Amino acid sequence: MISERHLLGPGPSNPYPEATRALADPLLGHLDPEFLRVMDETCEMLRTVWGTTSARTLPLSATGSAGMEAAFVNTVHPGDVVVVAVNGLFGQRMTDVAARCGAEVVSVEHEWGQPVDVERVLAAHPAPAIIAAVHAETSTGVRSDVAALGAGKGDALLLVDAVTSIGGIELRADDWGIDIGYAGTQKCLGVAPGLAPFTISDRAFERRVQTPRSWYLDLGMLGGYVGEAGVRQGGTGQRTYHHTAPTAMVASLHAALSRILDEGLEAVWARHRAAGEALQAGLQEMGLELFAAEGHRLPELTTVLVPDGVDSAVVRRELLDRHGIEIGAGAGPYAATVWRIGLMGHNARPDAVLLALAALKDVLGR
Ligand SMILES: *Cc1c(COP(=O)(O)O)cnc(C)c1O
């Protein structure tokens, strides 16, 4: 028996209770009509949290990283110019994935902790095939202006990582011009890790690679997964076998999405905002310094500088041993000098804020 933890790291976060309970329900077969209904409803609710009407919106059976892979492998033709905004670890990864797909990558580098400089990204190449950016950089706790990228994208496709923004902060794929978007379940959606909510516009789908290097992630075969009818809009057409959908995980995602939409998407965003602002104010009152640029901080993921003379790893260990709280270390070059504290999904609550602050005070002796 593993003791219960407060997972306040960047991920996984504590799931919503509804999502956990769904995992204990009797298992459905992946072609059971009841499961097909759950899948159709899940895709419909995903459209709402993405802010899209695209019929090609579904949970890929793989983690967020596979969502990134699917996004690039299906849309990058060899030699395509792909402009990538890099302001942290996940932007860096995008450049690697795009290069492996044969892209001519134009990487627009930013200082970590800063938001994407939209003008510089849009000016980086006169006619890119794709512009890619991370909406919520989990490595630094920074939000970037995706709407402005969409407004200036021209003929390019806009490819966005929404892993840490979906279900936590405002996200409007259609209004903002997102053509290809991928996410994950374990951050603000409040589900265990393992699925990649994905969406692609008709425009991007028409330009896709006909025979992508990946068989499993070939979006042209998605009809076999959600059903061609599902792809066309919510019908109950014949499914063909592509792979065995992880039915328990889809049921869990269905439960979390139902809970989010019952609460109201805007209310959920407001709950994240209130929790993040309270945590950030409390940390500053303790004399700690925040890492992410002011005005661009994510409420769901707070980055804070480890004070001088404090051993980051010892503090994280004591939080875990004494209070059952997991917070994240910094990413990449900031591994030892920054902490990352998540308030995502179910954790975006006042009691989680108070617990995190009290435990840190205790361990730091402040
Ligand atoms: C967590 C994360 C990913 C990777 O998701 P996995 O589920 O760990 O594969 C990608 N991008 C961002 C911004 C993330 O926070």
Side-chain angles (χ1 to χ4, degrees), residues 65-81:
S65 302
M68 184 186 292
E69 188 102 26
F72 286 99
V73 83
N74 281 282
T75 58
V76 175
H77 301 262
D80 274 358
V81 171

Side-chain angles (χ1 to χ4, degrees), residues 25 27 31 35 70 74 85 92 111 176 223 227 240 242 258 338 352 355:
D25 283 345
L27 193 65
L31 297 174
F35 174 69
N74 281 282
Q92 268 177 358
E111 197 187 318
W176 295 354
T240 52
H242 176 264
S258 303
V338 165
L355 185 68

Side-chain angles (χ1 to χ4, degrees), residues 227-290:
E228 282 298 339
V231 165
R232 277 199 301 273
Q233 280 296 355
T236 49
Q238 192 64 41
R239 264 58 167 195
T240 52
Y241 172 70
H242 176 264
H243 66 279
T244 309
T247 54
M249 276 300 295
V250 174
S252 184
L253 175 59
H254 182 279
L257 290 167
S258 303
R259 188 237 130 94
I260 289 169
L261 298 182
D262 280 352
E263 184 178 344
L265 194 49
E266 306 229 345
V268 169
W269 296 340
R271 176 162 56 76
H272 281 81
R273 195 182 324 119
E277 285 174 2
L279 177 70
Q280 288 165 13
L283 291 169
Q284 289 174 304
E285 275 163 30
M286 281 169 66
L288 296 173
E289 201 183 324
L290 302 181

Side-chain angles (χ1 to χ4, degrees), residues 63-66 68 90 93 134 136 138 161 163-164 182 186-187:
T63 73
S65 302
M68 184 186 292
F90 292 102
R93 272 201 194 169
V134 178
T138 323
D161 177 321
V163 176
T164 288
Y182 61 88
Q186 75 272 33
K187 311 250 164 96

